[in-house]
Amino acid sequence: MLKRVFGLPLQSTSRRIFSQVTFRSMSEQAITTPVATPAVADSAKPQHPKNGKSKKSKLQVSLKTPKGTKDWSDTDMVIREAIFDTLSNLFKRHGGQTIDTPVFELREILAGKYGEDSKLIYNLEDQGGELTSLRYDLTVPFARFVAMNNIQNIKRYHIAKVYRRDQPAMTKGRMREFYQCDFDVAGAYESMVPDAEMLDIVVEGLTSLGINDFKIKLNHRKILDGIFQVAGVSDEDVRKISSAVDKLDKSPWDVVKKEMVVEKGQTEETADKIGEYVKLNGSLREVYDALTKDATISANEKAAEGLKEMESLMTYTEAFGIDKYVSFDLSLARGLDYYTGLIYECVTSASAAPENAAELKKKSKSSEDASEYVGVGSIAAGGRYDNLVNMFAQASGKKSAQIPCVGISFGVERIFSLIKQRINSADIKPIYTQVFVMAFGGGKDWTGYLPERMKVAKQLWDAGIETEYVYKAKANPRKQFEAAEKAGAPLAVILGKEEFAEGKLRIKRLGPEFADDDGELVDANDFVQIVQQKLSEVHEDGINEVTRLIKGL
């Protein structure tokens, strides 16, 4: 029997424990450590200490990450990698090919593309004659890539870090360095077909990450521009009025109206006319019907074009079965200057700031982190930008046909903050070990079977199975079980002294519910296939533990 061979009660040794090591974010607490450096000698009068030793000064170094950034480790990285895997698989399902671009771009490439948010771009020092800036998003670099390579059509995805010099809210996933996961389609296609697929990708992506209580707010820049024309906004003021309207999700109408009139020079009549429309929201059909019945809007050329496209979009969202997730919201403006058509952003109940945000901001003692008084914000956003590629091509002297583009971007850190709130990190192991190889025996001739364990582990690695063993020749049985428990391995392959000599291995499930199960004795030649079979039983429906937790299954 297994208990007799090991000489240990399995009840106490094979109990599965997900031991956790808490790595406190270095951005949460600065640790100051003195570092000795040579003193700089006084040029006028050399110093000669009495003891003959040179005098050293101490330099104080703050061991912290820069504002708005953090280190990632342990279970947090497991969750983030699961998000990346989920979204990259989604993008591949929709025909995406991946690219990568430099983390910094020529400053002129980024300049003038982000409206009022341009002030948030990180500019780098002149390095050898080129002015560069850290990329603010992945969309503008993609448009530059398409124009530079004269690409006529492409479905691309890109998962990479971007940088914004904004006020961080760390626990809400609003950071200065963060990942975006983008999917874009460039090329001329049937109107609104790629746009509808972007909305479906949002729904697929978020639901596959266990986020179901979300709404996709969408609007159309042509409709919005038509509303501004009807209200009397001049063409040169459209973008700055758009940025004011875009604040309606954070500020009441009277605050937005004041900005339009006092700060941006619009008349009270113009602001009130805009207010009649931008407060309108509802289902696609409801808002579409209301706008088509408005003779003033229907008569406007730009608005009429937008409404025609929205009519097509409704057909396609019904085909995808995603209407219930979509809201037509005329207050959505998206301040980025490059959008030309459909625009959208995805929000949840956690997106909005607390009702008493202003009061909380006054009471806040931290200038480093705004988490106390802001919300998560949008967790995914995007839209159509039909002129950006052509603008780059023309500016560089290239001959280029118009390359329409549409895309969606997922904010990983914001999504992470939502997932982190609803799962217990203690249920996630920070490593992926599936099998732990052990050996048990005794007597003066007992060597510990270390080379034999290594050979078994190698066979499992070659089969693609995550495997570990204790790095010690004669490993204590209890220590081996403890190591397996710490790794969270669901399965053990055991080399018993007498059994292995006869060409047999024992395969055992680990965990408290299997403490009294001795496992199955199998032929050493067949053990890999049996391990694979048992692991398929462990992962119900082929879904691993992390995916199951994130999806809320």
Side-chain angles (χ1 to χ4, degrees), residues 101-312:
T101 62
V103 73
F104 52 89
E105 295 274 350
L106 293 178
R107 194 172 299 174
E108 61 196 34
I109 295 292
L110 303 182
K113 311 301 187 302
Y114 303 108
E116 292 184 356
D117 283 350
S118 291
K119 64 182 181 293
L120 304 180
I121 294 174
Y122 274 102
N123 291 325
L124 303 178
E125 291 184 2
D126 184 351
Q127 300 288 341
E130 285 188 338
L131 293 178
T132 59
S133 302
L134 293 178
R135 61 189 175 201
Y136 180 89
D137 66 5
L138 300 178
T139 304
V140 171
F142 170 63
R144 188 265 307 154
F145 171 84
V146 172
M148 187 171 133
N149 294 283
N150 198 28
I151 295 170
Q152 299 303 303
N153 56 72
I154 185 176
K155 284 184 175 182
R156 90 83 169 85
Y157 73 93
H158 191 184
I159 299 177
K161 288 181 177 180
V162 298
Y163 299 85
R164 299 185 183 181
R165 195 165 48 84
D166 205 352
Q167 174 64 11
M170 302 298 287
T171 63
K172 304 296 178 64
R174 300 170 70 123
M175 306 172 71
R176 290 186 165 187
E177 177 190 63
F178 57 96
Y179 271 96
Q180 285 188 334
C181 296
D182 283 21
F183 186 91
D184 292 76
V185 174
Y189 298 96
E190 188 88 12
S191 175
M192 305 310 288
V193 174
D195 307 67
E197 187 165 347
M198 292 301 150
L199 301 180
D200 181 67
I201 287 172
V202 176
V203 174
E204 283 188 49
L206 294 180
T207 54
S208 65
L209 291 169
I211 300 172
N212 298 294
D213 60 334
F214 65 88
K215 184 65 70 175
I216 303 172
K217 294 166 50 178
L218 62 79
N219 197 0
H220 202 297
R221 288 303 286 256
K222 291 179 181 177
I223 295 174
L224 196 58
D225 288 351
I227 289 171
F228 292 154
Q229 285 183 346
V230 166
V233 177
S234 63
D235 289 345
E236 58 267 24
D237 287 344
V238 164
R239 287 299 171 255
K240 65 182 182 182
I241 297 304
S242 291
S243 67
V245 170
D246 201 40
K247 296 173 184 174
L248 276 171
D249 62 336
K250 307 179 187 71
S251 306
W253 166 248
D254 57 340
V255 172
V256 173
K257 178 182 176 181
K258 182 179 179 181
E259 180 179 333
M260 288 184 185
V261 175
V262 176
E263 298 177 26
K264 299 187 173 176
Q266 304 303 306
T267 65
E268 291 267 352
E269 183 182 2
T270 293
D272 288 338
K273 189 68 174 176
I274 292 170
E276 290 178 19
Y277 292 105
V278 297
K279 296 176 187 177
L280 187 62
N281 64 78
S283 70
L284 288 177
R285 178 61 62 183
E286 288 171 342
V287 177
Y288 172 81
D289 287 345
L291 292 174
T292 51
K293 291 175 183 176
D294 187 312
T296 305
I297 294 298
S298 297
N300 180 272
E301 185 178 351
K302 280 192 174 180
E305 287 179 15
L307 286 170
K308 184 177 180 181
E309 291 181 356
M310 291 301 296
E311 184 178 15
S312 298

Side-chain angles (χ1 to χ4, degrees), residues 327-432:
S327 169
F328 197 164
D329 191 329
L330 291 179
S331 71
L332 179 65
R334 305 259 325 133
L336 304 180
D337 281 357
Y338 51 67
Y339 287 126
T340 59
L342 191 71
I343 51 177
Y344 35 83
E345 66 179 27
C346 189
V347 297
T348 73
S349 57
S351 295
E355 291 185 4
N356 59 339
E359 182 183 347
L360 291 172
K361 185 175 182 179
K362 288 180 181 178
K363 292 180 179 179
S364 177
K365 297 178 181 179
S366 173
S367 60
E368 296 286 310
D369 193 339
S371 296
E372 295 177 15
Y373 52 86
V374 303
V376 171
S378 62
I379 57 176
R384 175 161 286 281
Y385 50 105
D386 285 347
N387 299 329
L388 195 53
V389 172
N390 196 47
M391 183 195 71
F392 281 134
Q394 289 180 342
S396 66
K398 284 178 174 283
K399 290 184 178 180
S400 174
Q402 188 86 354
I403 307 295
C405 299
V406 63
I408 181 65
S409 178
F410 292 85
V412 172
E413 279 70 23
R414 298 185 183 194
I415 291 172
F416 169 88
S417 71
L418 298 180
I419 293 174
K420 191 73 183 289
Q421 289 173 19
R422 62 175 167 79
I423 68 174
N424 183 3
S425 293
D427 292 335
I428 297 178
K429 60 181 184 295
I431 50 180
Y432 297 90

Side-chain angles (χ1 to χ4, degrees), residues 51-69:
N51 60 7
K53 296 179 180 179
S54 61
K55 188 175 181 180
K56 294 183 179 181
S57 64
K58 291 183 177 180
L59 175 67
Q60 298 294 312
V61 176
S62 293
L63 291 181
K64 65 183 291 292
T65 60
K67 180 178 178 180
T69 67

